[in-house]
Amino acid sequence: MEKTYKLLTPGPLTTTMSVKEQMLFDHCTWDDDYKAITQWIRARLLELAHVTADEYTAVLMQGSGTFGNESVLTSVVGNEEKVLVCSNGAYGVRLAQICRQAGVPSVEYAEPFDIAVDPEKVAEHLAADPSITHVACVHSETTSGLLNDIEAVGRVVRQAGKVFIVDAMSSFAGVDIPMADWGIDFLVSSANKCIQGVPGFSFIICRRDLLEASRGKARSVSLDLYAQWETMERDGGKWRFTSPTHVVLAFAQALRELEEEGGIPARSARYAANQKLLVERMEVLGFKSFIKDHQDPIITIFTMPEDVEFTFAEMYAYIKERGYVLYPGKLTEAETFRIGNIGEIYEADILNVTAALKEFVDEKRDK
Ligand SMILES: *Cc1c(COP(=O)(O)O)cnc(C)c1O
């Protein structure tokens, strides 16, 4: 077997052996056992979002997280409606791109990548343009590790009587999100983020009445959210087209393991403690954390030490050799890189990777 390593990337991430082992079985898709697994997952997702089945529902959608975002935006915003897309990172920009490409009426409110979305400015946009019917916002902007205050944005959106769509891809289950209390109508996340499954599907948790009202608005066959939901509801957990069976089995196991860990409170505490320890250790080595306010517990951007010269590629190769994969930066101005700490990553891993980084930087300084 090839040399293995752990992923310090924010999804796909390092999963447990027991999650991976679930994929050794080729499950049939149409029988009742399989449909029951899908139904169990859907019910469990509602619990994790602190909502009930009479008001909310969960839909699983094939593809990566972007497919989930695209499914919601192209299925629920009608041609006579308009979505305000808040962007302060690559994922927010992608939401706007999805709308433009699919011809979904949209307008963008953009902030620089190190500044949080401002609820006041969202309110101003809504006041200035009454034709806006929906607001879309990323929760944890994985580009920068910045956590937008979607609770405050949700309050403004609710006051204005609009529909609130949240890309909570990299935060759901890593940060507790009481969906109804925060006024979130559609929430999107995926299998390979904080629930710690493998890549292959996204999921949408949403208000049942709003989903029903979206019937017939979809611009795509495969990403039609209402049609996917309708099949799952009518047929007791059947997926409309081939479902990623191995991924679904692994995801069910990942949900059981989330429970065993102590649910979202325990998991979010582990992530937050690891992120804090990571920053402490990195700053001793001369790496500075880039985001000053609203840092999330998911992923951190670091700038390079000022007193020593090396490239990200050199450092990446050195650390990979020692069992960990780092993540390049997505900001353009400064030379930065990112370290994610979600997945099966514990205090010992943070200590190991920062020890290896110390060795690397010390070697460079000695030269
Ligand atoms: C991971 C992620 C996505 C989806 O990315 P995919 O590569 O399509 O899985 C979307 N938004 C955010 C904030 C993410 O972290």
Side-chain angles (χ1 to χ4, degrees):
M1 199 172 157
E2 292 269 310
K3 214 174 151 144
T4 63
Y5 48 68
K6 289 190 182 178
L7 298 172
L8 298 177
T9 62
L13 36 63
T14 300
T15 57
T16 60
M17 192 52 72
S18 37
V19 162
K20 287 187 269 283
E21 275 166 3
Q22 291 291 316
M23 295 188 288
L24 296 174
F25 179 52
D26 305 307
H27 210 301
C28 123
T29 56
W30 54 263
D31 83 356
D32 289 344
D33 300 349
Y34 185 72
K35 291 196 286 189
I37 297 169
T38 296
Q39 294 300 68
W40 181 79
I41 289 172
R42 294 177 65 209
R44 192 72 199 102
L45 289 174
L46 295 185
E47 288 172 33
L48 292 176
H50 306 281
V51 291
T52 56
D54 47 330
E55 270 189 283
Y56 287 78
T57 187
V59 191
L60 313 186
M61 182 62 77
Q62 293 91 334
S64 78
T66 304
F67 292 61
N69 283 334
E70 186 146 0
S71 171
V72 171
L73 290 166
T74 62
S75 297
V76 310
V77 184
N79 289 331
E80 311 304 320
E81 299 175 309
K82 190 196 274 187
V83 57
L84 171 68
V85 177
C86 310
S87 75
N88 61 336
Y91 292 102
V93 167
R94 193 183 294 170
L95 296 179
Q97 187 194 356
I98 287 170
C99 293
R100 277 196 306 276
Q101 187 135 343
V104 175
S106 65
V107 48
E108 194 173 344
Y109 148 47
E111 289 286 1
F113 285 16
D114 57 344
I115 302 293
V117 167
D118 181 351
E120 303 262 312
K121 291 192 190 163
V122 173
E124 284 165 20
H125 274 92
L126 294 178
D129 184 353
S131 71
I132 294 169
T133 49
H134 297 65
V135 175
C137 187
V138 174
H139 186 206
S140 158
E141 227 326 330
T142 321
T143 320
S144 58
L146 193 148
L147 194 67
N148 285 316
D149 185 354
I150 49 165
E151 181 181 6
V153 175
R155 212 173 291 134
V156 162
V157 174
R158 183 161 16 189
Q159 265 159 20
K162 313 296 179 185
V163 176
F164 193 27
I165 300 168
V166 173
D167 168 351
M169 209 69 67
S170 64
S171 56
F172 187 73
V175 174
D176 199 24
I177 305 177
M179 232 186 117
D181 293 352
W182 289 7
I184 303 170
D185 299 307
F186 290 83
L187 179 149
V188 186
S189 185
S190 72
N192 60 280
K193 303 267 173 146
C194 299
I195 292 177
Q196 299 187 180
V198 302
F201 70 86
S202 61
F203 54 85
I204 294 98
I205 306 172
C206 62
R207 284 253 309 269
R208 194 180 273 273
D209 55 345
L210 292 174
L211 180 58
E212 280 169 356
S214 76
R215 182 182 177 169
K217 289 183 189 170
R219 293 160 180 84
S220 148
V221 172
S222 55
L223 296 175
D224 185 333
L225 186 64
Y226 177 86
Q228 182 86 344
W229 173 74
E230 210 251 355
T231 304
M232 281 189 177
E233 285 287 288
R234 191 194 54 222
D235 224 339
K238 189 179 176 302
W239 293 57
R240 223 167 19 129
F241 307 127
T242 300
S243 84
T245 49
H246 303 80
V247 180
V248 169
L249 297 178
F251 190 73
Q253 176 64 19
L255 282 172
R256 289 189 286 271
E257 292 180 13
L258 170 61
E259 195 64 35
E260 282 160 22
E261 183 173 351
I264 295 175
R267 182 154 297 175
S268 62
R270 169 164 65 91
Y271 287 174
N274 284 344
Q275 195 275 337
K276 188 164 168 280
L277 178 65
L278 176 69
V279 171
E280 273 167 30
R281 296 279 161 151
M282 292 296 280
E283 294 202 330
V284 172
L285 305 181
F287 296 97
K288 287 208 181 66
S289 131
F290 182 79
I291 293 296
K292 299 296 166 228
D293 298 310
H294 298 270
Q295 171 66 53
D296 69 22
I298 311 291
I299 183 167
T300 313
I301 299 196
F302 292 102
T303 55
M304 300 296 192
E306 277 160 18
D307 62 327
V308 50
E309 286 270 318
F310 55 82
T311 63
F312 173 75
E314 278 177 273
M315 178 174 68
Y316 176 87
Y318 187 94
I319 301 301
K320 184 176 163 195
E321 192 59 29
R322 284 152 187 81
Y324 293 94
V325 166
L326 304 174
Y327 203 45
K330 241 186 192 176
L331 296 182
T332 40
E333 327 85 68
E335 165 101 281
T336 59
F337 67 101
R338 293 175 290 175
I339 300 185
N341 60 269
I342 59 178
E344 277 301 285
I345 298 297
Y346 293 87
E347 187 182 303
D349 296 300
I350 303 295
L351 297 177
N352 287 343
V353 74
T354 50
L357 281 164
K358 179 172 187 331
E359 253 173 48
F360 173 78
V361 175
D362 284 351
E363 271 180 32
K364 291 287 166 192
R365 284 200 175 105
D366 286 346
K367 275 198 188 135

